[in-house]
């Protein structure tokens, strides 16, 4: 018992129990995931940009838990931020109550406290202490049980903010010069910053100077007199350069980046921010080689800025976590990423869409996902942001989009306006997925008298844009039977292509056991290594981009595509040095051959098949 007791004392310094987290999933799919899984020590991420959904989810969970609900009306000043603050405070309250109840349960089969410990990875100190407790004498058991209860920690309740959601929202009581403070991104940050949460905000989609500078106005992002940072910053990146640039930008302001969340550019769900041919393996290799240098550099810069601001320095124990996500499908891949590349943890997103205990997915979509094939997942141009978007052919939103086109009414009613940035035809911004914009764009296209094939391609590009504000949040209203005055039912879902290798609906225990290698829930579809899958996506992406070009390449395009191709070839060379990928060397050679066959010159691209 003594050795176990010592190990538990050491465990006090640890803040995370699991070696994985659940990333943000659309607007509604993980909107209340912490309420579902945080009590089991699992960290997850919510999107809070859709304030109407946030408000109705607060009403739903308040009623469910007999908590008084006081609405934040749209007439309230700064209502977006206040709705977010109120919801986040409620989520924290609910999770804390769940933890209090869980700690009082007995260590018997079927209780949540037993589930808490059995879900943990087998090498976890608390998991070992739990098994030691089961084998101890009665007197020792009671002592160890109390020790275990005292060390139960909830998973982190984190919030994602997409930095590109920064269009101005005007308020009657606000001067135009201050309107940027009411953009969706600024309001979301303010809502999070004013909440009682002690967790992290994840910034995705790249550096936004205005948004990042706004962090300085909130004291919780700086160390307090005890050197604790109540609210932390995590940045999602796809390469080392991005991490360095964004980390230094914040460090100069005294803002510490606690984690860099490295994501595959294409082998992911949602928006796909493709790199210039830099594959995930070589990207992780660069982080592996330079992480200590980056940590030291950011530490020095942050402390210098804190000193200049007369604020406490970072604690000596402060460090940066490096995690990776995007396309992970097996325990072996998970282990490889954490051991070979030194990643501190991994992110598992799309597979949790098949776990009703963790996410919100309606029955129809869930069944479609459970039976989907590889062809059902594709990289689309659906996003009004102009960024490639991982889509699902069987979604009701995709069916609705095609029906609208067939009926001569392409485009969507623009009701939320979160993605309204275009001023091509109007002084007031429009969303490129809106019916108004698409009608104007099609009218312009019809005056150009292009060749039929070119006209069709451009028309398809226009009408492929779809409303994500409603589509990605609709399931939250439907599944929880919330009132939705707008009567919108079509659901957009954006899983990564890795989900093709999972078929079925799973319990939380099954999914976690799969992640830790205690069982396998993959289907019988032949699955190459995640690195090889990503390589295929990049080769296809390069070829698709080149095939769009109908005229001779410019010098700039030749330089770009040549570099893209060479980066992929360099990535293949890296993979050939890894024993982990030996079973797929034949596929690596296949894609290398395809790349060599692509001719990139100042002429129309040539493909040899």
């Amino acid at each position: 018992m003594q050795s176990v007791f010592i190990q538990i004392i050491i465990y006090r310094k640890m803040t995370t129990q699991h070696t994985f987290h659940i990333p943000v999933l659309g607007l509604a799919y993980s909107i209340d995931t912490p309420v579902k899984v945080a009590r089991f020590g699992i960290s997850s991420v919510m999107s809070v940009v859709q304030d109407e959904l946030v408000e109705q989810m607060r009403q739903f969970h308040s009623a469910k838990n007999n908590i008084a609900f006081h609405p934040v009306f749209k007439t309230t000043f700064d209502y977006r931020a206040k709705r977010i603050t109120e919801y986040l405070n409620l989520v924290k309250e609910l999770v804390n109550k769940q933890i209090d109840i869980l700690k009082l349960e007995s260590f018997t089969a079927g209780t949540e406290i037993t589930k808490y410990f059995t879900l943990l990875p087998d090498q976890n100190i608390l998991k070992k202490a739990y098994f030691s407790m089961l084998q101890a004498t009665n007197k020792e058991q009671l002592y160890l049980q109390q020790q275990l209860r005292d060390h139960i920690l909830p998973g982190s309740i984190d919030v994602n903010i997409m930095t590109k959601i920064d269009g101005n929202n005007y308020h009657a009581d606000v001067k135009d010069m201050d309107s940027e403070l009411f953009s969706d991104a600024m309001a979301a940050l303010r809502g999070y910053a004013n909440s009682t949460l002690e967790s992290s905000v994840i910034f995705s989609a790249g550096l936004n100077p205005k948004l990042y500078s706004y962090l300085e106005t909130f004291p919780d992002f700086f160390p307090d007199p005890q050197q604790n940072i109540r609210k932390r910053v995590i940045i999602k990146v796809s390469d080392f350069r991005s991490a360095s640039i964004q980390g230094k930008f914040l460090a100069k302001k005294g803002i510490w980046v606690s984690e860099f969340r490295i994501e595959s550019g294409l082998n992911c769900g949602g928006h796909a921010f493709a790199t210039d041919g830099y594959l995930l393996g070589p990207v992780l290799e660069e982080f592996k080689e330079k992480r200590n240098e980056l940590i030291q550099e950011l530490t020095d810069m942050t402390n210098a800025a804190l000193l200049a601001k007369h604020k406490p320095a970072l604690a000596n124990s402060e460090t940066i976590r490096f995690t990776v996500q995007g396309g992970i499908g097996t325990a072996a891949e998970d282990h490889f990423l954490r051991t070979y590349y030194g990643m501190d943890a991994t992110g598992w997103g799309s597979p949790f869409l098949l776990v009703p205990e963790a996410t919100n997915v309606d029955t129809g979509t869930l069944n479609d996902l459970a039976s989907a094939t590889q062809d059902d997942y594709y990289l689309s141009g659906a996003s009004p942001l102009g960024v490639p978007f991982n889509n699902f052919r069987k979604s009701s939103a995709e069916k609705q989009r095609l029906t609208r086109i067939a009926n001569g009414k392409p485009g969507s009613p623009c009701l939320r306006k979160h993605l309204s940035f275009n001023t091509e035809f109007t002084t007031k911004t429009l969303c490129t997925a809106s019916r108004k914009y698409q009608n104007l764009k099609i009218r312009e296209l019809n005056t150009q008298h292009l060749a039929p094939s070119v006209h069709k391609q451009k028309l398809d590009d226009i009408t492929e844009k779809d409303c994500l504000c409603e589509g990605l949040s609709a399931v939250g209203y439907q599944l929880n039977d919330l009132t939705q005055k707008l009567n919108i039912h079509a659901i957009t879902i954006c899983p990564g292509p890795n989900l093709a290798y999972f078929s079925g609906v799973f319990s939380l225990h099954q999914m976690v056991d799969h992640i830790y290698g205690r069982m396998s829930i993959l289907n019988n579809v032949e699955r190459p290594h995640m690195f090889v899958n990503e390589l295929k996506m990049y080769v296809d992406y390069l070829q698709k981009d080149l095939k769009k070009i109908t005229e001779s390449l410019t010098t700039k395009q030749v330089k770009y595509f040549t570099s893209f191709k060479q980066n992929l070839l360099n990535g293949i060379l890296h993979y050939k040095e890894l024993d982990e990928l030996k079973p797929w060397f034949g596929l690596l050679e296949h894609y290398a051959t395809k790349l060599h066959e692509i001719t990139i010159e100042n002429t129309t691209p040539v493909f040899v098949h």
Side-chain angles (χ1 to χ4, degrees):
M1 186 179 74
Q2 185 65 22
S3 61
V4 173
F5 173 74
I6 292 172
Q7 287 181 321
I8 291 180
I9 295 300
I10 294 173
Y11 189 80
R12 289 182 190 276
K13 299 179 181 179
M14 300 178 66
T15 57
T16 57
Q17 292 88 340
H18 289 275
T19 60
F20 76 93
H21 61 264
I22 303 176
V24 66
L25 296 165
L27 297 178
Y29 299 106
S30 62
I31 185 68
D32 57 353
T33 292
V35 179
K36 302 171 186 287
V37 304
R39 66 185 179 277
F40 301 117
I42 298 172
S43 298
S44 60
V45 187
M46 303 179 291
S47 170
V48 291
V49 71
Q50 226 286 35
D51 61 274
E52 187 72 31
L53 174 64
V54 165
E55 180 73 349
Q56 294 209 32
M57 289 300 293
R58 181 168 71 90
Q59 182 176 10
F60 169 77
H61 281 291
S62 295
K64 187 177 180 180
N65 292 276
N66 296 315
I67 297 173
F69 172 75
H70 303 287
V72 178
F73 297 107
K74 285 189 174 183
T75 53
T76 304
F77 179 76
D78 201 19
Y79 72 90
R80 286 186 177 87
K82 289 177 180 176
R83 284 176 167 181
I84 292 166
T85 298
E86 291 295 325
Y87 180 64
L88 296 180
N89 289 346
L90 174 64
V91 171
K92 179 183 178 181
E93 179 185 347
L94 294 177
V95 171
N96 286 344
K97 285 182 178 179
Q98 290 172 346
I99 289 290
D100 290 341
I101 294 171
L102 184 147
K103 286 182 176 182
L104 295 175
E105 292 183 334
S106 62
F107 284 87
T108 55
T111 60
E112 292 200 334
I113 194 169
T114 297
K115 185 174 181 178
Y116 180 98
F117 290 103
T118 55
L119 282 173
L120 294 173
D122 293 341
Q123 69 275 18
N124 182 278
I125 293 173
L126 283 185
K127 181 72 167 281
K128 294 178 180 178
Y130 168 76
F131 282 121
S132 295
M133 178 274 295
L134 294 178
Q135 299 170 3
T137 62
N138 289 340
K139 185 177 180 180
E140 290 176 332
Q141 261 197 355
L142 292 175
Y143 173 78
L144 286 175
Q145 284 178 359
Q146 189 56 49
Q147 287 292 314
L148 290 171
R149 295 181 203 278
D150 290 344
H151 287 81
I152 289 173
L153 291 172
S156 188
I157 304 169
D158 296 331
V159 168
N160 185 85
I161 297 177
M162 193 173 185
T163 59
K164 292 186 181 295
I165 312 299
D166 62 350
N168 290 353
N169 288 316
Y170 295 93
H171 195 288
D173 300 323
V174 179
K175 296 179 181 179
D176 285 353
M177 62 183 293
D178 297 323
S179 62
E180 66 182 29
L181 293 178
F182 292 85
S183 74
D184 292 324
M186 292 287 202
L189 177 56
R190 187 163 57 252
Y192 171 73
N194 290 332
S195 75
T196 57
L197 284 179
E198 294 184 36
S199 60
S200 298
V201 58
I202 293 92
F203 291 118
S204 61
L207 192 156
N208 181 331
K210 290 187 298 184
L211 183 65
Y212 283 10
S213 297
Y214 194 38
L215 287 165
E216 291 184 89
T217 63
F218 303 105
D220 277 5
F221 289 103
F222 295 102
D224 63 18
Q226 290 74 44
Q227 296 181 298
N228 296 317
I229 303 175
R230 290 173 55 84
K231 290 182 172 66
R232 295 176 173 271
V233 172
I234 295 174
I235 300 179
K236 190 187 293 185
V237 297
S238 55
D239 57 43
F240 183 85
R241 181 175 178 273
S242 177
S244 178
I245 291 173
Q246 295 188 68
K248 290 175 183 177
F249 184 94
L250 289 171
K252 290 176 182 177
K253 299 178 180 299
I255 302 294
W256 179 244
V257 178
S258 297
E259 178 183 333
F260 287 108
R261 196 157 281 186
I262 307 156
E263 184 173 65
S264 167
L266 291 180
N267 197 8
C268 59
H271 286 92
F273 294 89
T275 64
D276 293 346
Y278 295 106
L279 298 172
L280 186 59
V283 168
L284 294 178
E285 185 69 27
E286 186 172 10
F287 274 99
K288 177 181 177 180
E289 294 172 354
K290 298 178 180 178
R291 65 181 289 167
N292 291 334
E293 177 186 337
L294 181 63
I295 292 172
Q296 188 60 56
E297 190 172 16
L298 294 184
T299 300
D300 293 343
M301 292 176 69
T302 304
N303 277 332
L306 290 171
L307 179 63
K309 291 175 180 288
H310 307 290
K311 293 183 180 292
L314 297 169
N316 291 332
S317 59
E318 201 68 65
T319 189
I320 299 175
R321 279 165 52 89
F322 294 84
T323 64
V324 60
Q325 60 194 47
I328 308 169
T330 68
E333 290 174 351
D334 186 284
H335 182 262
F336 174 67
L337 294 168
R338 289 186 291 107
T339 53
Y340 183 81
Y341 291 109
M343 293 291 105
D344 296 294
T346 57
W348 288 67
S350 296
F352 276 97
L353 292 172
L354 298 174
V355 182
E357 287 178 70
T359 57
N360 296 311
V361 182
D362 64 289
T363 302
T365 304
L366 185 62
N367 291 336
D368 285 340
L369 290 174
S371 60
T373 65
Q374 289 174 295
D375 291 339
D376 292 321
Y377 304 95
Y378 70 108
L379 195 62
S380 74
S383 173
L385 289 176
V387 178
F389 183 76
N390 280 292
N391 219 332
F392 184 55
R393 297 188 195 280
K394 291 184 175 181
S395 72
S396 54
E398 176 62 7
K399 295 172 185 174
Q400 175 182 262
R401 184 186 71 86
L402 295 173
T403 299
R404 284 172 171 169
I405 294 172
N407 292 337
K409 295 182 178 180
S412 308
C414 191
L415 303 168
R416 304 297 183 189
K417 304 186 186 305
H418 295 305
L419 301 179
S420 295
F421 304 122
N422 187 281
T423 55
E424 189 176 348
F425 300 106
T426 57
T427 54
K428 192 173 182 180
T429 56
L430 295 177
C431 175
T432 56
S434 69
R435 184 163 296 160
K436 183 174 182 178
Y437 173 83
Q438 292 192 10
N439 285 338
L440 290 169
K441 194 67 176 175
I442 292 170
R443 191 181 305 167
E444 178 190 63
L445 176 63
N446 290 338
T447 66
Q448 295 174 357
H449 307 294
L450 302 173
S453 60
V454 178
H455 183 279
K456 183 181 184 306
Q457 180 59 58
K458 290 185 177 293
L459 180 62
D460 289 346
D461 290 343
I462 294 169
T463 58
E464 189 177 12
K465 298 290 184 288
D466 201 10
C467 178
L468 302 187
C469 301
E470 294 299 339
L472 290 174
S473 59
V475 70
Y477 296 105
Q478 291 185 33
L479 201 61
N480 297 302
D481 197 26
L482 302 176
T483 301
Q484 190 182 24
K485 297 177 182 179
L486 302 175
N487 197 32
I488 292 174
H489 301 287
I491 291 172
T492 300
I493 194 163
C494 49
N498 183 49
L499 200 59
Y501 303 104
F502 294 84
S503 298
V505 177
F506 306 103
S507 69
L508 180 64
H509 226 307
Q510 286 175 312
M511 185 58 69
V512 174
D513 282 352
H514 174 80
I515 292 171
Y516 292 140
R518 298 190 286 249
M519 69 178 295
S520 175
I521 57 175
L522 291 180
N523 56 29
N524 294 324
V525 177
E526 184 178 354
R527 182 185 183 279
H529 191 277
M530 59 179 289
F531 285 172
V532 179
N533 278 331
E534 186 202 44
L535 170 62
K536 178 185 182 301
M537 292 174 204
Y538 267 100
V539 173
D540 291 344
Y541 183 84
L542 173 61
Q543 290 187 323
K544 185 178 179 180
D545 259 13
L546 285 168
K547 287 177 180 177
K548 288 180 180 178
I549 299 171
T550 57
E551 300 176 356
S552 297
L553 293 173
T554 64
T555 301
K556 184 178 180 180
Q557 287 174 321
V558 169
K559 183 178 180 181
Y560 168 75
F561 287 119
T562 300
S563 175
F564 195 111
K565 172 182 170 179
Q566 189 57 53
N567 289 335
L568 292 179
L569 289 170
N570 292 341
I572 292 173
L573 291 177
H574 170 72
Y575 290 155
K576 287 183 177 179
E577 297 174 354
L578 302 177
D579 289 341
E580 184 80 8
L581 266 70
K582 277 186 177 179
W584 293 279
F585 276 13
L587 270 177
L588 294 177
E589 283 291 346
H590 168 72
Y591 291 120
T593 300
K594 288 189 72 171
L595 287 168
H596 284 301
E597 289 174 346
I598 298 175
T599 301
I600 302 174
E601 298 174 349
N602 289 97
T603 57
T604 304
V606 176
F607 299 89
V608 178
H609 299 286

